[in-house]
Amino acid sequence: MKFTLDLPPGLAGDETSFAAAGRWADGSNVRFWRGRPQVIGGWERLTEEPLAGVCRGLLPWTDHSGALNLAFGTHAGLQVWRDGVLADVTPPGLGAGAVDGAGGQGYGTGAFSAGGYSEPSTAEFFPRSWALAAWGANLLASPRGGAIYRWANDLAAPAAKVAGAPEQVSHMIVAPQDQIFALGCEEEASGVFNPLCIRHSGVRAPESWTTAPDSTAREYVLPGGGRIVAGRVMGAQLLIWTSHALFVGTFVGSLAQPWRFDRVGENCGLIGPQAAVVVGQQAFWMGPDLQVRQYVLGGAPVLADGPFQGELAENLAPGQQDKIVASSLSAFAEVRFDYPDARDGVENSRYLRLSLTDGAWSRGRMARSAMSDAGPASHPIGVDPDGSVFWHERGQSADGGVIAWFIESADQYLDEGRTLMVRGLWPDFEDQTGAAALTLVSRLKPQGPARTFGPYPLAPGAPRLDLRASGRLFRIRLSGASAPSALRLGRLVFDAAPAGGR
């Protein structure tokens, strides 16, 4: 008799294996695309020499000649790549920042009695990250907690401080009205840093920051507690996250107050400055509660139903939450969150993916401290913590090495009423490149002893796999580790017969 295994897309995550029956339970480096699992694309090295420092800021943009430029903000400085040349454009006098977090910027962390009761300490306990934006053909760059700098497309010259701009800035963005926004900065009148203060330059006037009747520069202070963590541009609006809430900035054109900031959600703050991404007219981010949320203009923040919150809470490297990176992959309609898993150390080592087409979650092991989608670059770009820069979704190998992947079901009854002997498999694979393997783990009862059968090799094009595996509950695992490596899974059809016992 034949039994078909055709599971819905997505990993079940925190569920026990038996509770997740009828689902995929685990996997690595396998995405769900058009409802089916397939091995992710490969990556190839972009630069011959590594970056100087750990990259926590990445921006591709084009200059007036149409040439692709890549900016990399690392803990050690600022670098730009163009036409195969990697140049150091670190502003003069800017020293290296912290590589790792030390547990600050939160209640119960950081130096004893630093900051107000129940409020974050103000000392720099976070790893250095960068806010990067294009200003025409030029680059604007701001290291977290530092000034705003401008680089004028000369590989031989460093970036220079933007005159008149605040000196201590939590995050920086550029509005569609050609205004630079300093999010979390010194108030103009007192010069005292206010973590909820927003100041912006005049329209098309990057060095005009003084609020005066003849200036379009202005200052605002967001209501509520906490601190501004980061901002993003979404269409004509600005999204500003504090540690507690989400605000939407709208240009209203009033001379006295050209921008209005409305709070659209509470208890939905941002865990770190890199942990939010905008995809079209939607925003996705991870909050301090490790929940992933989604926001569409005109609505309210909603949970994205991430199935891995329990595992994140158990394994997120302590004090390293500011390293979490959110990015998009438009070719597959995905968002991705890279995070530091304590089982691997204190650097980003694993990722979660959410498919925007069917809500399916997947995950994998890959070390990336910065990621950027394609456009204007031809492919997505990722940087590992050692400073190596890669094109992603390019080729079918890990820069010439193997791509290790697997996908595993929860425990399944092929026939709930009796014990079966599985005798074979008719593979339903597409575009298989490289060897794959099938492993079956069987049980007679949900918490009974497990027996492992295999791994059985599955060569490309093989019409049938013969095997012998008995049990009532079966966990099915497909895996591979080759270079090149590719596979898209259809439906698994097993040949089985009753083995006696009920």
Side-chain angles (χ1 to χ4, degrees):
M1 63 184 74
K2 295 181 180 180
F3 292 90
T4 300
L5 189 70
D6 191 11
L7 305 182
L11 302 181
D14 292 332
E15 294 285 359
T16 64
S17 181
F18 192 54
R23 300 284 306 278
W24 294 109
D26 199 5
S28 178
N29 293 336
V30 173
R31 65 162 45 93
F32 293 91
W33 174 238
R34 297 175 182 166
R36 300 288 180 188
Q38 68 181 46
V39 179
I40 63 171
W43 52 96
E44 298 177 1
R45 194 172 299 269
L46 190 157
T47 60
E48 289 297 325
E49 59 180 307
L51 304 178
V54 180
C55 182
R56 304 203 198 281
L58 166 59
L59 176 72
W61 85 103
T62 54
D63 56 29
H64 291 317
S65 69
L68 176 65
N69 293 260
L70 301 175
F72 303 98
T74 75
H75 84 278
L78 182 65
Q79 292 179 272
V80 173
W81 177 93
R82 185 174 65 204
D83 295 331
V85 176
L86 186 63
D88 183 356
V89 296
T90 303
L94 180 66
V99 177
D100 301 314
Q105 296 296 330
Y107 173 69
T109 59
F112 177 69
S113 73
Y117 177 71
S118 83
E119 287 299 320
S121 56
T122 57
E124 185 173 305
F125 295 111
F126 45 78
R128 171 172 286 173
S129 59
W130 289 75
L132 305 171
W135 181 264
N138 294 173
L139 169 71
L140 292 176
S142 179
R144 184 176 177 185
I148 300 174
Y149 300 91
R150 183 177 182 178
W151 179 69
N153 296 80
D154 182 356
L155 292 177
K161 188 178 296 185
V162 174
E167 297 282 332
Q168 185 180 354
V169 179
S170 298
H171 199 80
M172 178 270 303
I173 56 177
V174 174
Q177 289 76 13
D178 289 335
Q179 293 174 297
I180 306 171
F181 275 71
L183 309 176
C185 60
E186 314 98 292
E187 295 183 6
E188 180 184 4
S190 67
V192 175
F193 176 80
N194 183 337
L196 292 171
C197 179
I198 297 175
R199 293 174 60 188
H200 63 70
S201 70
V203 176
R204 292 184 292 278
E207 298 182 349
S208 173
W209 292 80
T210 302
T211 56
D214 60 347
S215 169
T216 51
R218 292 293 181 267
E219 176 180 288
Y220 317 80
V221 176
L222 296 182
R227 60 189 170 88
I228 295 176
V229 179
R232 299 290 187 270
V233 177
M234 186 162 72
Q237 272 71 35
L238 308 180
L239 302 183
I240 311 295
W241 285 272
T242 71
S243 50
H244 303 334
L246 171 63
F247 291 80
V248 173
T250 304
F251 184 74
V252 294
S254 169
L255 184 60
Q257 183 175 311
W259 287 85
R260 186 185 72 237
F261 293 91
D262 300 306
R263 182 163 42 201
V264 296
E266 296 192 54
N267 301 316
C268 60
L270 185 63
I271 194 169
Q274 303 183 91
V277 62
V278 170
V279 184
Q281 294 298 305
Q282 301 179 85
F284 297 85
W285 71 96
M286 186 177 292
D289 58 359
L290 304 181
Q291 295 271 23
V292 174
R293 289 177 171 83
Q294 174 185 1
Y295 175 73
V296 179
L297 283 175
V302 296
L303 295 177
D305 295 326
F308 300 107
Q309 185 189 17
E311 181 171 335
L312 273 173
E314 183 177 351
N315 297 300
L316 184 65
Q320 309 306 313
Q321 64 273 8
D322 288 284
K323 297 177 180 178
I324 295 173
V325 177
S327 59
S328 61
L329 182 57
S330 55
F332 291 95
E334 294 174 344
V335 294
R336 167 173 167 155
F337 294 89
D338 289 82
Y339 67 96
D341 192 294
R343 292 170 291 186
D344 308 318
V346 296
E347 266 305 338
N348 287 359
S349 57
R350 306 191 186 205
Y351 66 83
L352 304 174
R353 290 181 190 261
L354 170 63
S355 169
L356 304 185
T357 58
D358 52 23
W361 286 88
S362 57
R363 61 181 173 181
R365 299 188 65 171
M366 184 188 300
R368 294 294 183 268
S369 63
M371 291 289 296
S372 174
D373 204 347
S378 58
H379 291 80
I381 299 169
V383 186
D384 73 13
D386 294 328
S388 297
V389 185
F390 301 97
W391 295 113
H392 275 257
E393 301 299 328
R394 184 158 156 167
Q396 296 176 330
S397 71
D399 195 35
V402 302
I403 296 179
W405 62 270
F406 78 91
I407 188 166
E408 181 176 285
S409 74
D411 290 324
Q412 315 284 328
Y413 280 114
L414 295 184
D415 186 329
E416 195 165 342
R418 53 188 167 180
T419 302
L420 294 179
M421 174 64 72
V422 178
R423 302 179 299 191
L425 167 71
W426 288 280
D428 181 19
F429 301 154
E430 185 177 71
D431 300 328
Q432 182 181 355
T433 303
L438 170 72
T439 302
L440 296 180
V441 178
S442 73
R443 303 175 191 267
L444 293 177
K445 297 180 180 179
Q447 295 196 109
R451 297 180 63 191
T452 300
F453 300 89
Y456 302 101
L458 289 161
R464 177 184 165 97
L465 171 67
D466 292 316
L467 60 108
R468 293 179 66 84
S470 62
R472 284 188 174 181
L473 291 150
F474 292 89
R475 189 184 315 153
I476 295 95
R477 179 186 176 102
L478 290 165
S479 61
S482 63
S485 184
L487 183 144
R488 180 171 170 81
L489 176 62
R491 300 190 300 171
L492 294 176
V493 181
F494 290 93
D495 176 21
R502 301 188 71 82

